[in-house]
Amino acid sequence: MRDRLSVIVFTVFVAVCLLGCGVIYVFSPDHDVSLSKNPDGSVTFEIDGILPESYAYMVLEDVHVYDSIYYYSDGNYPVMDDRSQYEVDLLFDTLDRMMDSRGYASFEKVDATELSNVMSDTSLAHSTVIIVPSGALPDTVQAGNTHSKLDTWLSAGGSMYWMGGNPCRYYSTHSGIMESDHGLFDDSLFNTKRSDKGATECSPIASEFGFAYSAIDDAISIDAPNSKVIGLYNDEFSSLSEITLSSGGTVYLFGGGPASISFEQTSAFADMLVCGVTGDTVVKEKVYGQKGYGDLRSTIHPIMSGDLLFLRVGSPNTDYGAVILL
């Protein structure tokens, strides 16, 4: 009887210890990741952690890494009817955690006044991207058919991610959503028929990042001038397209609002943001590995100057990583 009791006590003790490790690992991971460039052009990476984890690194060329990424959200201004302020803020909270875990510290939410201030400083436009999930810009940067502040900022080399529909077709005031005569692009280029035909083909860069985002309800045509497909697509529309403006700026168009992007797709989007993925980005190399118990230190062969190395560890639920631009 005494031996049996000892076995039970020992079993409970082991179970509690294992549960404790699991809780520490999942919710408060005791790990870190770092990248450092060596004199010979090689890169050393270190992954600190208690338990085994999978990892992957990619070498990319033709990227545009941003010094600052701003996410527009202002509860004092209404959003389009097909989305809610809760969805807008929920996406920010998710992205904010993911960007932080990837070592990107310059991801920030801005309200209508702060957005206007960002766009007023055109000297930083080329190194800045703005994410607009609300479906409408505030009247601090767009008044009726006039969106000169946005136009000037884009002309200076700014970039913008727009979620669903034609940018600037509608704008937001304290009293409601207003319609303008036109948006940045021709209305005829956008999917408004809500057909059952889905986006099933995957662009090369979406495949590399596991970006399975397929919403095309408000997507732009794959035949739009100066456009490149980044997401999934069919023979008409793409779930994420890059449009290079003749003025010099770049607009990235999602085919749906903030509620249409899943947790896993948001994780892949965060990877693409920190890497500065564009329509020209190419993954030159992708390597998978497995870390055992304890820390891992390894060196990657010399990387060409101008290329980017992205190291990602874990699953979408526990992932973290680091980026270094050579």
Side-chain angles (χ1 to χ4, degrees), residues 64 66 119 122 124-130 149-162 167 184-185 225-228 241-253 278-280:
H64 184 172
Y66 302 101
M119 289 187 176
T122 56
L124 300 177
H126 183 72
S127 60
T128 303
V129 65
I130 293 170
K149 182 166 285 190
L150 172 64
D151 291 339
T152 301
W153 184 78
L154 287 172
S155 297
S159 298
M160 177 174 68
Y161 277 92
W162 185 276
L184 281 184
F185 308 103
N226 302 313
S227 68
K228 295 178 181 177
S241 293
E242 175 195 81
I243 310 290
T244 303
L245 305 177
S246 57
S247 61
T250 306
V251 178
Y252 296 90
L253 295 168
T278 73
D280 295 320

Side-chain angles (χ1 to χ4, degrees), residues 260-306:
S260 63
I261 184 167
S262 70
F263 185 88
E264 290 76 13
Q265 292 160 3
T266 304
S267 178
F269 178 47
D271 291 343
M272 295 164 71
L273 275 176
V274 298
C275 290
V277 167
T278 73
D280 295 320
T281 297
V282 175
V283 176
K284 299 172 65 174
E285 182 181 8
K286 189 173 186 179
V287 176
Y288 294 92
Q290 181 71 35
K291 181 184 80 67
Y293 289 96
D295 301 340
L296 171 67
R297 178 186 174 92
S298 184
T299 298
I300 304 170
H301 59 79
I303 309 297
M304 289 185 61
S305 177

Side-chain angles (χ1 to χ4, degrees), residues 25-132:
Y25 174 64
V26 175
F27 296 105
S28 181
D30 180 21
H31 53 217
D32 195 10
V33 59
S34 63
L35 295 170
S36 57
K37 183 179 178 180
N38 302 314
D40 64 353
S42 63
V43 176
T44 296
F45 70 87
E46 296 184 58
I47 304 173
D48 300 337
I50 301 171
L51 299 179
E53 288 185 291
S54 60
Y55 69 87
Y57 69 79
M58 291 189 287
V59 179
L60 302 93
E61 65 178 358
D62 290 331
V63 297
H64 184 172
V65 178
Y66 302 101
D67 292 339
S68 299
I69 300 175
Y70 296 103
Y71 185 101
Y72 168 65
S73 175
D74 191 329
N76 294 314
Y77 283 81
V79 300
M80 292 294 289
D81 292 341
D82 62 346
R83 62 203 72 188
S84 69
Q85 186 62 45
Y86 171 78
E87 293 166 352
V88 168
D89 289 336
L90 179 62
L91 179 58
F92 170 78
D93 291 340
T94 304
L95 265 178
D96 189 38
R97 291 192 299 270
M98 291 177 172
M99 299 296 279
D100 181 66
S101 69
R102 287 154 177 77
Y104 191 91
S106 299
F107 181 68
E108 181 181 347
K109 182 192 290 187
V110 292
D111 61 21
T113 300
E114 292 165 334
L115 179 65
S116 177
N117 293 337
V118 169
M119 289 187 176
S120 295
D121 189 356
T122 56
S123 66
L124 300 177
H126 183 72
S127 60
T128 303
V129 65
I130 293 170
I131 301 172
V132 183

